[in-house]
Amino acid sequence: MTAPKNLVLDTNTVMALWHFRDPALHALDDAIHTGDLILYSRDDALEEYRRVLAYMQFGISPDRQAELLDAYRSRVIEAPPPTAAPLLLPACRDRDDQKFLEIARDAGVSHLLTRDKLLLKLARHRILRDRFAILTPERFIADVLA
């Protein structure tokens, strides 16, 4: 890979990378740490991550939650605000995921990484397919990082 790729990660991907430490995503983690990949986010996505970290089923201590959130926050660049006439986006059936499409559009990223079926379904949408790719992290690793 020559120039860094710009990405948006949805919350589940962030959790898989840094809380669950999914071994299938090791190459993605390495590429982020070496600066080959640049991550974009915004406040509402970071707030969602903070809320998910606090879910009781994960059993993450408050100190560890703060550590994970701070570490992720330090890895991302704030997406710019939308332009005066932003590209209209298709509506994701899960309204909570619409923000990830907006961040990808506003930051001009090459890829949105997710395992979410509703977001992945939008990958073929005519408005999006020429702007940025929506891929699973595993497919990104196989197709882009390999």
Side-chain angles (χ1 to χ4, degrees), residues 87-136:
L87 169 75
L88 293 179
L89 295 167
C92 186
R93 289 182 61 203
D94 181 347
R95 293 170 61 188
D96 284 339
D97 290 334
Q98 192 70 29
K99 67 181 151 292
F100 298 109
L101 296 172
E102 294 168 0
I103 296 165
R105 174 200 61 200
D106 297 343
V109 302
S110 59
H111 296 84
L112 164 58
L113 303 187
T114 183
R115 290 175 174 162
D116 184 283
K117 287 179 180 21
L118 295 176
L119 280 171
L120 290 167
K121 200 171 192 179
L122 291 174
R124 297 182 302 274
H125 195 284
R126 63 180 172 74
I127 293 174
L128 300 180
R129 69 176 168 242
D130 294 330
R131 307 252 180 232
F132 55 88
I134 302 174
L135 301 173
T136 64

Side-chain angles (χ1 to χ4, degrees), residues 11-25:
T11 302
N12 289 328
T13 303
V14 175
M15 288 293 289
L17 271 167
W18 293 300
H19 171 62
F20 295 112
R21 312 271 323 145
D22 185 337
L25 305 184

Side-chain angles (χ1 to χ4, degrees), residues 27-88:
L28 180 61
D29 189 28
D30 285 348
I32 291 167
H33 284 291
T34 61
D36 291 335
L37 302 174
I38 298 169
L39 305 178
Y40 285 85
S41 192
R42 67 181 193 199
D43 288 342
D44 55 346
L46 292 168
E47 174 57 21
E48 178 179 285
Y49 181 48
R50 185 200 63 74
R51 283 192 322 270
V52 169
L53 287 168
Y55 287 175
M56 287 181 39
Q57 68 260 34
F58 296 134
I60 306 170
S61 73
D63 288 344
R64 181 68 177 143
Q65 291 174 38
E67 182 182 306
L68 287 166
L69 180 60
D70 290 344
Y72 183 58
R73 188 177 279 134
S74 73
R75 290 180 176 110
V76 299
I77 296 172
E78 177 77 19
T83 61
L87 169 75
L88 293 179

